[in-house]
Amino acid sequence: MTSYLSLQRCCYIGLLLLQISYSGVIYASPEIKITGLTAELEANARAYLALSKEACDAPQWKIKRLFAESPEQIEKALRALGYYHPKIQQTLTWQKDCWASVFNIQAGPPMLIKKLDIQVLGVGVQEPFFAELLKNKRLKLGSIINHAHYEALKSSLQTIAEAKGYFDNYFELKRLAVDLDSNTAQIQLHLQTGNRYFISRIDIVENALDPEFGSKFLKIKPGDAYDREKIVGSYQLLDTSGYYKDVQLKYLRQQAENYYAPLDINLTNLPRHSLSAGLGYDTNLGARISGGYKNRYLNESGHQFIADLNLSLKKSNFIMEYVLPYNNPLKDRLSFFSGITYENTTNVDSQKIEAGVRLSNRFYGQLLLSEQLKYVAERFRNSNSDPYITRFLLIPGIAISNTRAEKKDMYISGYKYMLDLNAAHRAVASSVSFIQAKFNLKMTYPTFLGGRIIARTDLGASAVDVFTDLPSSYRFYAGGDNSVRGYDYKSIGERDESGVVIGGRYLVTGSLEYEQKIIDNWSMAAFIDAGDAFSKTLKLKFGAGLGVRWYSIVGPVRIDIASPTDNIGDVHFHFSLSTAI
């Protein structure tokens, strides 16, 4: 039996070696060796060689023909980079079942630019964009002539002329001459721009919004010179405004009179009414249902009405907002809002009504500055045995937020942060005086082999005259799915004499998680969280655990098992599911 197994192994090894040897013959590729050239010249020569596209099993007559044509192809490749006098020695051999070739090349002296005469003529001679292009051109006096750079410059001159409204441009002179005896080249390019075209008027086809409102998204106005970049920018602003499902901009050059022509804008509105709904579940609040309504066109000025409802057994809220775009409607918005929030969890029992006004200004990218003034009435208590307390607050506030994110594979990578400042004073329609700052940051970055690192922190601080007068919604708590896992929702905080969690003046939480893709849309995660909500002494609570993620078509499903590090046996299960319908 032992001898039989040894013989069987030998047969397997022999077959494997035979297969490898046979595969090497099938997939062998011919060797084309080029010597004497720089890396750039060699790469261009190989790109021109038709021989380099042939395999070992190509007909011998074809290889011989292409080999004979190779010197001419190599000469073209080198001339394109400024070498007009190459000397080429070549050999072709057949070895076993394949062929090989060797090209020993001396590039010879380069062709240098002796004269460079590039001019812009006509009306556009003083335009700064032409001057900028010529300043950064790759062709330089005394440099080696490069035909690709010459053709690129010709193309760039005409492209920028077209983009800036010089539609009648043409070359009065375009010449590249070489002197083979002196190895010098002369380049002459004279672009005649012709007249520039202008926008005579802007016609916005009638739609649900006032044409004057639509014109606020435009980067160009009647009387301006044609500028493709500004027209494309106007298209992008209209397309991302949230009002239109189809945007078309067309410059009617054929209708030009004295080089002035209209810009025609055709806008198709999105539906006036929009409804949304969602279902979800997490271990913080239990089952959730959400619904939303949006009216995009309350009037011709683009005013909008938005309503959002979120319901769960432990926490619910209903918010209404009236939005008025002004000045730049994509960046500047004034809104009036009101809302009701109900929360009844183990450590928080609160009902809050608020109403206010908010001014939002968007700056660079997603950088948003919001200023608001709101009036809050909140009824709350810390435990079922305590009486309810009602407090009234007039709160001015300011918030700065930013988001930079992009989707890579199944992950979203980037960061987001928010800094929120609020205050109230007893002398101004408030039951308590306080100043509060909150900051949260989340960063996610991909690693190798489908992994990513997730880091998160939440910080908060309050200066308050009488802490017991501060409503629950303005106190700090920690613990739960999105805070310190391994602890119940809002179970970390300062406690009163009876041991009831009453929240804290300060908040410090942080989380570090590594997530690794396993297969398809499934991944696993390992994490450690830490944090505390306190009023006097910081005593960090730590939680650590493992999790599973499923990125479904309706949203991510997260399952985590975590324990406090000081009590490994106290296992907590965290589950989160969100869907949109």
Side-chain angles (χ1 to χ4, degrees), residues 348-368:
V348 176
D349 185 356
S350 167
Q351 301 91 45
K352 180 173 68 173
I353 300 175
E354 61 184 358
V357 58
R358 181 184 299 114
L359 178 63
S360 301
N361 304 99
R362 192 176 301 280
F363 294 97
Y364 308 102
Q366 297 299 314
L367 181 62
L368 184 68

Side-chain angles (χ1 to χ4, degrees), residues 214-235:
S215 67
K216 292 182 178 180
F217 296 97
L218 304 180
K219 290 189 169 184
I220 199 164
K221 61 182 184 296
D224 286 354
Y226 177 93
D227 191 317
R228 186 181 299 160
E229 182 180 353
K230 291 183 178 180
I231 291 176
V232 171
S234 299
Y235 168 85

Side-chain angles (χ1 to χ4, degrees), residues 101-175:
S101 62
V102 177
F103 296 93
N104 186 12
I105 305 169
Q106 297 178 19
M111 189 74 63
L112 303 179
I113 299 176
K114 179 181 180 181
K115 180 179 180 181
L116 192 59
D117 177 20
I118 302 173
Q119 301 181 35
V120 175
L121 308 173
V123 176
V125 66
Q126 298 297 331
E127 296 286 11
F129 42 81
F130 284 123
E132 184 69 19
L133 175 63
L134 296 181
K135 177 182 176 183
N136 296 316
K137 66 183 184 300
R138 300 179 70 178
L139 295 173
K140 305 291 182 183
L141 196 65
S143 64
I144 301 173
I145 182 66
N146 186 307
H147 289 252
H149 295 170
Y150 170 72
E151 294 298 331
L153 180 59
K154 283 199 307 180
S155 177
S156 296
L157 283 167
Q158 291 199 298
T159 297
I160 197 170
E162 293 275 343
K164 297 298 184 180
Y166 290 97
F167 298 115
D168 301 328
N169 73 85
Y170 64 94
F171 282 107
E172 286 187 354
L173 178 63
K174 51 180 178 180
R175 179 170 174 263

Side-chain angles (χ1 to χ4, degrees), residues 191-472:
L191 178 72
Q192 173 58 249
T193 65
N195 287 299
R196 193 173 189 181
Y197 284 72
F198 291 81
I199 308 292
S200 61
R201 66 178 188 274
I202 297 177
D203 297 328
I204 299 179
V205 177
E206 184 177 352
N207 58 84
L209 296 171
D210 190 320
E212 184 177 346
F213 177 78
S215 67
K216 292 182 178 180
F217 296 97
L218 304 180
K219 290 189 169 184
I220 199 164
K221 61 182 184 296
D224 286 354
Y226 177 93
D227 191 317
R228 186 181 299 160
E229 182 180 353
K230 291 183 178 180
I231 291 176
V232 171
S234 299
Y235 168 85
Q236 291 172 340
L237 292 177
L238 286 164
D239 189 51
T240 57
S241 67
Y243 291 102
Y244 311 106
K245 69 176 180 180
D246 186 54
V247 177
Q248 297 179 4
L249 282 77
K250 187 175 182 181
Y251 183 63
L252 304 179
R253 180 184 164 196
Q254 68 277 12
Q255 298 181 19
E257 295 182 5
N258 297 322
Y259 302 102
Y260 279 81
L263 179 66
D264 190 57
I265 301 178
N266 197 333
L267 304 172
T268 303
N269 298 114
L270 285 165
R272 180 183 298 272
H273 305 287
S274 172
L275 294 172
S276 62
L279 296 171
Y281 181 87
D282 63 44
T283 45
N284 281 347
L285 303 175
R288 306 192 312 272
I289 184 170
S290 63
Y293 167 74
K294 184 175 186 178
N295 187 323
R296 295 186 176 91
Y297 314 107
L298 285 173
N299 52 38
E300 292 184 346
S301 298
H303 294 191
Q304 298 181 335
F305 175 76
I306 302 170
D308 287 301
L309 174 67
N310 295 280
L311 296 174
S312 73
L313 292 176
K314 296 182 179 181
K315 186 175 182 179
S316 302
N317 62 62
F318 177 62
I319 299 174
M320 296 181 295
E321 187 173 12
Y322 187 99
V323 181
L324 295 81
Y326 75 99
N327 195 16
N328 184 334
L330 271 181
K331 296 183 177 182
D332 309 317
R333 297 200 167 196
L334 178 67
S335 60
F336 299 90
F337 61 90
S338 62
I340 300 173
T341 302
Y342 162 83
E343 183 172 354
N344 189 0
T345 58
T346 303
N347 298 302
V348 176
D349 185 356
S350 167
Q351 301 91 45
K352 180 173 68 173
I353 300 175
E354 61 184 358
V357 58
R358 181 184 299 114
L359 178 63
S360 301
N361 304 99
R362 192 176 301 280
F363 294 97
Y364 308 102
Q366 297 299 314
L367 181 62
L368 184 68
L369 172 66
S370 297
E371 303 157 285
Q372 69 176 19
L373 177 65
K374 63 181 179 179
Y375 194 72
V376 177
E378 185 168 348
R379 180 173 177 262
F380 64 98
R381 63 179 180 178
N382 295 316
S383 68
N384 293 332
S385 60
D386 292 341
Y388 281 104
I389 302 173
T390 301
R391 293 292 180 261
F392 300 93
L393 303 169
L394 181 64
I395 304 176
I398 186 171
I400 300 173
S401 64
N402 196 4
T403 301
R404 294 287 180 89
E406 61 178 329
K407 188 171 177 56
K408 295 181 178 179
D409 193 16
M410 66 182 184
Y411 298 138
I412 294 178
S413 298
Y415 67 86
K416 63 178 180 179
Y417 65 81
M418 172 178 270
L419 174 63
D420 197 3
L421 302 173
N422 292 285
H425 198 279
R426 290 183 187 274
V428 188
S430 298
S431 305
V432 60
S433 297
F434 76 92
I435 299 175
Q436 187 175 86
K438 293 185 290 185
F439 176 76
N440 60 71
L441 169 68
K442 183 177 182 179
M443 300 181 293
T444 64
Y445 287 102
T447 59
F448 51 90
L449 300 177
R452 69 167 176 168
I453 295 174
I454 305 168
R456 169 177 47 83
T457 186
D458 291 281
L459 305 173
S462 305
V464 55
D465 58 351
V466 181
F467 181 75
T468 54
D469 285 340
L470 192 65
S472 298

Side-chain angles (χ1 to χ4, degrees), residues 436 460-464 466-468 470 474-477 492-496 500-508 532-539 541:
Q436 187 175 86
S462 305
V464 55
V466 181
F467 181 75
T468 54
L470 192 65
Y474 289 91
R475 300 183 187 186
F476 293 116
Y477 299 84
I492 300 174
E494 197 78 17
R495 296 176 182 267
D496 62 13
V500 175
V501 177
I502 60 173
R505 297 171 184 257
Y506 310 104
L507 175 70
V508 176
D532 191 18
F534 60 100
S535 292
K536 295 180 181 179
T537 304
L538 172 64
K539 297 179 181 179
K541 313 295 190 299

